Amino acid sequence: MTEFSFACTGVRADRYAAGPTLVFRLRITAAPEVRVHAVALRCQLRIEPARRGYRPDEAEALGDLFGERARWGSSMLPVQFAQVSLVVPGFTGTTEVDLPVPCTYDLDVAPTRYFHALAEGEAPLLMLFSGTAFTGPGGFQVEPVPWDREASFRMPAAVWREMIDQHFPGCGWLRLPQSTMDALLAFRSLRALPSWEAAVAALLESAGPAAAPAPAPTAAPTPTAPPALERTAP
């Protein structure tokens, strides 16, 4: 079976993508004498939050993910970030390819919440590889990419912020129940307001500084990305 090794050499924000997208640069190495016709590659990306330290403000922002700092020894588990596929063109020896990873700015999703909380430094990632390789000097020999192939990478938090700013410059993202959206739309239409920002500003202005206390909020939705404890089946 062909021995493959993987390394991540960098990451950038794709400014031409339709939505927020990170592009990781992968270096794939096979035995020098082996001709690789193609690789149907799968990659799981995980955040390993315990592999870095956090400032007090970052720790506060991560409280709804991992609880109080005193509990982090047991609560700060790896978090699944993404699972993507890529067809690697043929090569002999070593090749480098781009791995696009679509992202979201939904703050109810655990990876987004984690990246949003980082004020500086790097996000520790683990990339787990599997897939099918087509090799052979002449004809095709089909063989699996071993499941123990992986690579660690520390993604600068600034790259994540750059990606988000490209698509949502100076903006935040808020998800509301459909009934609330319908009520806001009715209010906006009634007042003939030109934008959602104007609708919210009008509501805040009408509330005034002496507005009655808001009703007790419902429980915050739990992040939709569960901690990743083992490899996911292909």
Side-chain angles (χ1 to χ4, degrees):
M1 189 167 61
T2 303
E3 286 294 324
F4 289 95
S5 62
F6 298 85
C8 184
T9 61
V11 64
R12 60 181 172 85
D14 188 348
R15 64 176 56 253
Y16 302 109
T21 303
L22 293 171
V23 180
F24 293 85
R25 189 67 174 171
L26 295 183
R27 179 183 295 133
I28 306 173
T29 303
E33 70 279 2
V34 176
R35 181 181 177 187
V36 180
H37 300 286
V39 181
L41 188 66
R42 292 184 294 272
C43 179
Q44 295 181 47
L45 292 93
R46 293 181 183 172
I47 303 168
E48 296 198 310
R51 292 176 50 205
R52 60 156 285 171
Y54 300 91
R55 300 181 346 185
D57 56 331
E58 294 174 330
E60 182 178 356
L62 291 171
D64 56 350
L65 283 180
F66 305 116
E68 298 178 355
R69 191 189 285 267
R71 298 177 48 214
W72 283 6
S74 58
S75 64
M76 187 171 274
L77 301 174
V79 175
Q80 184 85 0
F81 171 27
Q83 182 164 319
V84 292
S85 299
L86 176 72
V87 176
V88 180
F91 67 95
T92 300
T94 300
T95 188
E96 291 196 1
V97 293
D98 287 337
L99 179 69
V101 178
C103 303
T104 176
Y105 194 36
D106 184 349
L107 291 177
D108 284 338
V109 178
T112 304
R113 190 94 58 90
Y114 175 83
F115 293 132
H116 183 76
L118 301 185
E120 60 183 9
E122 300 168 326
L125 302 180
L126 180 65
M127 310 176 79
L128 307 172
F129 299 97
S130 61
T132 304
F134 302 89
T135 63
F140 284 89
Q141 176 180 336
V142 180
E143 54 182 296
V145 175
W147 271 61
D148 61 352
R149 305 296 92 169
E150 59 185 44
S152 295
F153 181 68
R154 301 186 73 86
M155 183 183 74
V159 175
W160 173 269
R161 290 194 296 271
E162 177 189 353
M163 176 193 68
I164 295 301
D165 289 341
Q166 288 172 0
H167 295 272
F168 306 101
C171 299
W173 193 97
L174 184 64
R175 185 172 69 178
L176 298 173
Q178 187 61 53
S179 58
T180 304
M181 287 297 301
D182 291 342
L184 280 174
L185 180 59
F187 176 82
R188 176 179 169 180
S189 299
L190 180 65
R191 299 289 187 91
L193 298 171
S195 65
W196 290 112
E197 180 182 0
V200 173
L203 286 170
L204 292 174
E205 182 180 357
S206 65
T218 57
T222 56
T224 59
L229 302 179
E230 58 184 17
R231 289 178 184 259
T232 303

